[in-house]
Each structure stands twice: as structure tokens, then as C-alpha cells.
Amino acid sequence: MKITFIGATHEVTGSCYYLEAAGHKFLVDCGMEQGPDYYENKELPVAPGDLDFVLLTHAHMDHSGNLPALYAKGYQGPIYATEATCNLCDIMLRDSAHIQEFEAEWRNRKARRSGEPEYEPIYTVADADAATKLLAPVDYGQKITLCDGIEVR
């Protein structure tokens, strides 16, 4: 097994771990950095489309907030989480996307007046909608086999 710490290595926000195990590539969490940008998450060492699955520990934005951005960059696989986490993410990720788009619109109004380049939101409501369709709810405490050699509870 090989683990690469993508985020939350210097602080508690932005949790994201890339693992290679049993011939598979996957993430545990895909969190958004929150607060001052003292540290940034590293880039994934693989293309998001090469990931087999994502395991989501819980719905807090610092653990799930970058899932729509992961989708926008090509991830199409399942996102395993408890049913409660999936339900919360469905609401939170859409709300976060709305905030991202609203902030981009506000920044771009200012940028146009000052001649600065356009600001792109981290992700859109459409990205959040698509990412939430990848959520694969499992019962709390249920043991699931994700692939040969990898079981989680």
C-alpha cells in the first residue's frame, strides 16, 4: 500500500489522501481548503479519471468540498459514503457551488472595471449536480468489498 497526503498535512482543513493498494487507485476524502490559504493541496499524482473510487469519511466541506472539482477534472467513478453523509453532501455541495458562482460573478464585475482577468469559480452548480449523482450510499457499519483485496466498514 502506498499513501500520498494531498491535503491537511499542515493543518486540519482540506483532507485528501491518495492511495494505491491491491492494484487500485483511490482517494479517501476530497476536501476543500477553508480559511486563510497558508497551504494548498498538492495536485493528484494521477488524472482524476484514473481513480477507481472515492471513500468519503463524512460530509464536512473540508472532507468533501472538492468533489465537484474532481468531477469537473474527469472523475466519473463512485463516491462511497454513509447514507447520511450522501444526503448532507447533496445539499452542501450544491450550496457551495452556488456560492462559488456568486463569488465569481462579484469578482468579475470588479475585474471588468479594473481591467483584470476573469475569475473562474472552483466549480459550478452543474459540476455539483453531476458529482452528487456519483454518491453511492452504504449503511453505517456495513462492510463492503470495493474490489479484490479492499474491504471497508
Side-chain angles (χ1 to χ4, degrees), residues 7-77:
T9 55
H10 294 93
E11 56 192 357
V12 297
T13 185
S15 180
C16 185
Y17 311 97
Y18 168 69
L19 287 87
E20 295 177 24
H24 296 277
K25 301 171 184 174
F26 59 98
L27 295 181
V28 175
D29 290 339
C30 189
M32 177 180 280
E33 286 281 331
Q34 296 180 293
D37 291 331
Y38 297 125
Y39 304 101
E40 292 185 17
N41 283 1
K42 297 179 191 174
E43 288 294 318
L44 291 176
V46 297
D50 291 341
L51 295 169
D52 295 304
F53 54 87
V54 174
L55 296 175
L56 186 56
T57 61
H58 61 286
H60 289 163
M61 289 300 291
D62 65 324
H63 289 258
S64 69
N66 270 338
L67 289 170
L70 186 72
Y71 168 82
K73 293 176 183 174
Y75 181 70
Q76 300 286 313

Side-chain angles (χ1 to χ4, degrees), residues 54-59 79-89 135-142 144 153:
V54 174
L55 296 175
L56 186 56
T57 61
H58 61 286
I79 302 167
Y80 296 103
T82 64
E83 187 169 354
T85 294
C86 291
N87 291 339
L88 285 169
C89 281
L135 292 167
V138 297
D139 292 332
Y140 187 81
Q142 176 186 355
I144 58 171
R153 181 183 317 263

Side-chain angles (χ1 to χ4, degrees), residues 56-122:
L56 186 56
T57 61
H58 61 286
H60 289 163
M61 289 300 291
D62 65 324
H63 289 258
S64 69
N66 270 338
L67 289 170
L70 186 72
Y71 168 82
K73 293 176 183 174
Y75 181 70
Q76 300 286 313
I79 302 167
Y80 296 103
T82 64
E83 187 169 354
T85 294
C86 291
N87 291 339
L88 285 169
C89 281
D90 188 45
I91 296 165
M92 289 177 16
L93 295 175
R94 292 169 202 267
D95 184 55
S96 175
H98 175 74
I99 292 167
Q100 299 292 330
E101 288 182 343
F102 183 80
E103 182 177 346
E105 182 182 312
W106 176 79
R107 284 184 174 195
N108 286 333
R109 277 195 310 268
K110 289 178 69 174
R112 282 190 289 277
R113 287 192 298 263
S114 63
E116 294 180 25
E118 292 275 313
Y119 174 81
E120 291 291 323
I122 297 169

Side-chain angles (χ1 to χ4, degrees), residues 94 97-98 101 123-130:
R94 292 169 202 267
H98 175 74
E101 288 182 343
Y123 50 82
T124 65
V125 171
D127 296 329
D129 286 341

